[in-house]
Amino acid sequence: TQLLEQSPQFLSIQEGENLTVYCNSSSVFSSLQWYRQEPGEGPVLLVTVVTGGEVKKLKRLTFQFGDARKDSSLHITAAQPGDTGLYLCAGAGAAGNKLTFGGGTRVLVKP
Amino acid sequence: DTEVTQTPKHLVMGMTNKKSLKCEQHMGHRAMYWYKQKAKKPPELMFVYSYEKLSINESVPSRFSPECPNSSLLNLHLHALQPEDSALYLCASSQEGQGAGRSNQPQHFGDGTRLSIL
């Protein structure tokens, strides 16, 4: 069974600060997806990383996939209150389209 | 706005009722999913349909019965649910890639149906 550990579980910061969320596993994933979920809504896809060592930027968000494709990180620069939400990482195995979700990180950015 | 549409948004039902949740997508995706999400937890996979055929059932109790009438629609029929089944039920869809590319297809989620069992 593939497991994804996400840390921290909760993060509360002031507007303008930076933050990093980590997603770690002992298993190799074919790809890893990051989602953000707001209350009352479904998860919204932010990015998919596929290649070991890959770095993708989405405005103030930087996503990195580990060289061994076992871990990933999400870094937010100069966080805004609009970044508040539940961040979920999800890994896909080679077998197919089944995702393994991390436990989620609840981010609160205070104005 | 999400491209995966789920109805109803909210549902309250008794333990003896029969109801159905509906999901629709028009992105041409051939893989569709049902997830259950409890408060402050990640989504848990229930079922996967690939080309309108059930490919994964994560040992879900038979009181949940999925159906995929065509490539755009996915239903979840509910009967004799328990209070612990109260949760947000999410539908998702994705492209069905080939070979190694199959696992790189991102999933697109609807906003869910919030289900309360009395």
Side-chain angles (χ1 to χ4, degrees):
Chain A
T1 303
Q2 295 181 306
L3 293 174
L4 264 175
E5 291 188 6
Q6 214 174 315
S7 62
Q9 290 185 322
F10 178 71
L11 204 49
S12 178
I13 60 171
Q14 291 295 135
E15 182 176 0
E17 293 182 340
N18 301 334
L19 69 97
T20 303
V21 178
Y22 299 94
C23 194
N24 296 294
S25 176
S26 57
S27 304
V28 175
F29 290 98
S30 294
S31 68
L32 199 134
Q33 300 167 23
W34 283 93
Y35 294 86
R36 180 170 67 219
Q37 185 176 20
E38 299 186 34
E41 298 181 6
V44 175
L45 179 71
L46 297 175
V47 79
T48 300
V49 285
V50 177
T51 306
E54 183 176 5
V55 176
K56 281 191 173 179
K57 289 183 185 285
L58 186 67
K59 295 183 182 177
R60 294 176 293 100
L61 278 60
T62 301
F63 304 85
Q64 187 161 5
F65 201 13
D67 291 340
R69 290 185 289 138
K70 293 181 179 181
D71 53 86
S72 182
S73 63
L74 156 62
H75 182 79
I76 302 179
T77 304
Q80 304 293 312
D83 296 324
T84 292
L86 176 67
Y87 288 83
L88 294 160
C89 63
N97 47 19
K98 180 176 174 179
L99 288 180
T100 298
F101 276 89
T105 296
R106 197 162 296 277
V107 171
L108 174 63
V109 182
K110 293 182 276 190
Chain B
D1 288 337
T2 179
E3 295 178 82
V4 177
T5 304
Q6 289 188 244
T7 55
K9 287 192 179 302
H10 303 275
L11 180 61
V12 179
M13 57 187 285
M15 289 189 283
T16 57
N17 293 156
K18 285 185 182 181
K19 296 285 186 184
S20 297
L21 309 185
K22 297 186 182 301
C23 175
E24 188 169 3
Q25 57 87 15
H26 294 288
M27 294 180 281
H29 292 170
R30 302 306 295 273
M32 296 186 77
Y33 312 78
W34 279 115
Y35 288 87
K36 173 183 178 180
Q37 186 178 27
K38 299 286 266 185
K40 300 184 179 179
K41 297 289 186 183
E44 297 173 25
L45 183 66
M46 299 174 72
F47 303 103
V48 180
Y49 272 82
S50 176
Y51 294 98
E52 296 88 71
K53 293 194 186 313
L54 183 65
S55 61
I56 296 177
N57 176 344
E58 291 287 281
S59 302
V60 179
S62 60
R63 57 186 184 269
F64 296 91
S65 176
E67 178 196 20
C68 190
N70 60 55
S71 60
S72 300
L73 294 174
L74 186 66
N75 299 321
L76 186 63
H77 303 297
L78 314 174
H79 174 54
L81 295 195
Q82 304 298 309
E84 62 265 27
D85 297 322
S86 297
L88 180 68
Y89 287 83
L90 292 162
C91 173
S93 70
S94 71
Q95 299 277 10
E96 260 293 25
Q98 298 296 320
R102 190 170 186 227
S103 58
N104 300 337
Q105 305 301 322
Q107 294 184 19
H108 299 262
F109 286 82
D111 283 338
T113 293
R114 187 156 300 280
L115 177 65
S116 298
I117 307 299
L118 301 179

